Amino acid sequence: MIVCLRVDERLIHGQVAMTWTKELKLNGLVVASDEAASNEIQKMTLKMAVPEGIKCIIKSVEDVTTILDDPRSESMRLMVLVPTVKDAVTLCKRYKNIEMVNIGNAGEKKILSKEVMLTADELEALKELTELYPDTFFQGTPAMEKKMASALLKGC
């Protein structure tokens, strides 16, 4: 089961590995990134950040469906990590059973929060994402304040 879909250009790092995995009681991290899937050094580095006892799979956005469509994934608590809002939209269109969508750290231009700066294209993708998942929120770690994406988009 996809407990959380998180947009974070850093993919797996301390906040994900040490706080989100515990808070959400995850057994697996699934990275859906075309760039990471094609870079052996990046795959090795990302897997080094994963806590003991947590499974980690890194696939392209297209190939990740083989993992998420596998019936065995339904019995696991998974966080899917994508580097862009556009990738999140792609997955949200296919998977309607995602429990939560979280924007952690993304983008380059328009500042929506301390951690999130989006290009014009990513802003449009975020609008589409909030239509698919109205409860999409910004939150760096579970201890930080949760900000609804729809509220932050009102100023754009």
Side-chain angles (χ1 to χ4, degrees):
M1 136 188 350
I2 302 172
V3 176
C4 182
L5 172 64
R6 180 177 169 94
V7 178
D8 194 322
E9 61 191 9
R10 300 167 295 170
L11 301 171
I12 302 171
H13 54 86
Q15 290 175 345
V16 170
M18 302 312 294
T19 58
W20 284 107
T21 57
K22 291 175 185 171
E23 178 75 17
L24 299 176
K25 298 175 178 63
L26 301 174
N27 358 59
L29 296 173
V30 179
V31 174
S33 166
D34 297 342
E35 183 180 334
S38 65
N39 183 325
E40 291 303 317
I41 293 173
Q42 187 176 13
K43 284 198 295 194
M44 181 179 65
T45 304
L46 289 170
K47 288 182 178 186
M48 289 173 56
V50 177
E52 189 174 330
I54 304 287
K55 295 183 188 304
C56 178
I57 296 173
I58 301 168
K59 297 278 187 186
S60 68
V61 175
E62 183 178 322
D63 291 342
V64 79
T65 59
T66 60
I67 302 302
L68 300 176
D69 290 344
D70 188 313
R72 293 175 290 183
S73 71
E74 279 302 310
S75 64
M76 297 183 71
R77 295 183 58 78
L78 302 173
M79 174 182 272
V80 178
L81 296 142
V82 296
T84 69
V85 176
K86 191 173 182 178
D87 291 335
V89 169
T90 299
L91 293 178
C92 284
K93 285 180 177 178
R94 181 173 175 114
Y95 299 100
K96 302 299 182 194
N97 61 340
I98 300 169
E99 288 187 15
M100 70 172 86
V101 177
N102 171 246
I103 313 292
N105 188 313
E108 299 171 356
K109 301 286 180 196
K110 174 75 175 166
I111 298 173
L112 291 180
S113 76
K114 180 180 161 192
E115 298 84 13
V116 181
M117 298 167 279
L118 302 177
T119 64
D121 288 344
E122 289 234 302
L123 273 172
E124 289 306 311
L126 181 60
K127 289 173 185 174
E128 186 175 357
L129 184 61
T130 57
E131 288 172 15
L132 292 166
Y133 277 85
D135 292 334
T136 298
F137 62 95
F138 294 83
Q139 187 177 28
T141 67
M144 295 171 75
E145 178 186 2
K146 183 187 286 189
K147 298 176 185 171
M148 300 308 293
S150 56
L152 292 173
L153 281 171
K154 287 181 182 173
C156 297

